[in-house]
Amino acid sequence: MRIEKAAIVGKGALGLLYADCIARTLGSEAVCFVMDEGRIVRHAGETTTINGAARAFRTATPADAGGVDLVLFAVKAPALESAMELAAPLVHDGTIVVSVLNGVTSEERLAARFGWERVVPCVAQGMDAMRFGSTVTYSRAGNLHIGLFPQTDPSALEAVRDFFDRAGIGQVVEADIRHRMWAKFMGNVGLNQVCAAYGVNYAALLESERAQAAGSTDPTTAPWRAYIAAMREVIAVGQAEGVDVGESDLADMVGILRSLDPQSTPSMGQDVINHAPTEVDEFSGVMMRLGRKHGLPVPTNEWLNARIKEIEAGYRHR
């Protein structure tokens, strides 16, 4: 099993980042964005600027895409159902499916549609890519962490590992991918939601930490306190789910934050700036559901969920 051609569903910051890696390394015919005819028309003639370089990528409907060996889903969580419906004609006996979506539910949803054996679990971590309009910028491309679930075909994992290697996409093969998924989930529950809820970038969040360390009790410390509290709620819920996440994982997430471009903001922060729907229910929504399941309080996530939905509701009034 060898991957030669990939289709990407989702032309956001991550989809464009990986398309750029594949096209520059393996050639423009090795990757295309798959979309419906309406989006094809809207994107006609579009040139994207990635870190200052103008880039154009092939786009195609599923009927015109031809045979592909890998379908990479890079949409927001609320769009996954429609993305799976769109991509279904591309998935044949040998097709591998990979998701770079945030959260801990996309693999289950993909497996329910396409079968566990072809789903290679994946976590995108350590990048700071931002997209505004047709411009994408990043200082760190991060890595795609991949691994095996019990039902995954091991040859599919090896094919994805080989393809990412040839395409120049940074990767880490995880012995326990479920743990890595929950550790990243912890980071997203904290960082994505807090930056969106408080309207701060990474620099402002770290300034909030410094204010707290200096003993301040004024409102400038609230983002950092919410960031840590939200992640500690993930530790409790994750352990109840049988995942060995803990304080060392929280420290790792803080370490990643410190390594990112301080003037960047995560995807949910970008959504708020762009007045776009967020993935809040993939983060605090899942936390609230699992908290009820295990009888665990998740007050910080409840507040973040309500606050971000309040912000979304206000889009139409701005």
Side-chain angles (χ1 to χ4, degrees):
M1 184 184 298
R2 181 178 169 89
I3 298 170
E4 300 290 355
K5 291 187 177 182
I8 299 178
V9 186
K11 206 175 181 183
L14 287 189
L16 285 162
L17 189 157
Y18 301 128
D20 191 41
C21 288
I22 296 167
R24 283 189 290 106
T25 308
L26 300 179
S28 60
E29 292 302 308
V31 62
C32 71
F33 283 100
V34 172
M35 55 189 70
D36 60 34
E37 291 184 358
R39 288 182 183 273
I40 293 278
V41 171
R42 290 198 295 275
H43 288 281
E46 179 179 85
T47 298
T48 301
T49 301
I50 301 178
N51 279 353
R55 303 287 289 152
F57 302 99
R58 189 165 70 94
T59 58
T61 64
D64 295 332
V68 300
D69 309 303
L70 170 70
V71 180
L72 181 71
F73 288 89
V75 297
K76 295 292 181 68
L80 183 56
E81 290 300 324
S82 59
M84 289 191 293
E85 187 66 27
L86 174 73
L90 300 171
V91 180
H92 54 76
D93 286 345
T95 308
I96 298 169
V97 175
V98 171
S99 161
V100 294
L101 274 69
N102 287 321
V104 290
T105 67
S106 64
E107 275 78 9
E108 293 178 0
R109 295 167 67 187
L110 288 168
R113 179 64 185 264
F114 300 119
W116 272 114
E117 69 282 356
R118 69 175 76 253
V119 176
V120 173
C122 179
V123 179
Q125 190 165 327
M127 66 288 300
D128 55 12
M130 297 195 300
R131 179 184 180 184
F132 295 104
S134 60
T135 299
V136 175
T137 58
Y138 65 91
S139 65
R140 292 192 60 191
N143 291 303
L144 291 180
H145 296 246
I146 54 177
L148 288 172
F149 281 162
Q151 310 95 319
T152 304
D153 183 344
S155 67
L157 172 63
E158 178 56 28
V160 169
R161 185 207 62 75
D162 172 71
F163 180 70
F164 287 167
D165 186 55
R166 288 186 284 117
I169 295 173
Q171 62 177 291
V172 177
V173 178
E174 296 280 351
D176 185 351
I177 189 63
R178 191 163 183 248
H179 173 269
R180 175 51 47 200
M181 292 172 74
W182 270 82
K184 171 65 184 300
F185 178 61
M186 176 196 300
N188 275 331
V189 163
L191 192 60
N192 258 290
Q193 296 193 122
V194 166
C195 287
Y198 287 95
V200 296
N201 60 13
Y202 302 146
L205 181 58
L206 290 169
E207 181 59 34
S208 174
E209 177 197 22
R210 287 188 285 272
Q212 180 175 316
S216 173
T217 58
D218 68 32
T220 62
T221 66
W224 188 261
R225 287 186 284 109
Y227 171 60
I228 298 299
M231 291 196 291
R232 287 203 167 119
E233 290 173 6
V234 175
I235 291 175
V237 168
Q239 290 178 353
E241 283 284 293
V243 184
D244 186 23
V245 285
E247 288 291 326
S248 64
D249 297 301
L250 188 151
D252 287 344
M253 294 303 108
V254 173
I256 290 172
L257 164 62
R258 298 191 200 286
S259 73
L260 301 176
D261 178 355
Q263 299 308 313
S264 292
T265 191
S267 59
M268 281 182 66
Q270 297 169 52
D271 290 337
V272 168
I273 292 169
N274 292 325
H275 292 186
T278 73
E279 295 180 299
V280 64
D281 282 330
E282 196 66 22
F283 299 144
S284 51
V286 169
M287 283 293 295
M288 290 158 64
R289 173 172 60 81
L290 293 177
R292 290 190 296 271
K293 172 184 172 182
H294 296 290
L296 293 170
V298 290
T300 305
N301 276 280
E302 288 175 352
W303 181 84
L304 288 166
N305 190 274
R307 174 60 186 140
I308 293 167
K309 287 183 175 177
E310 179 183 33
I311 291 170
E312 290 180 316
Y315 291 165
R316 61 182 179 271
H317 301 303
R318 297 178 185 176

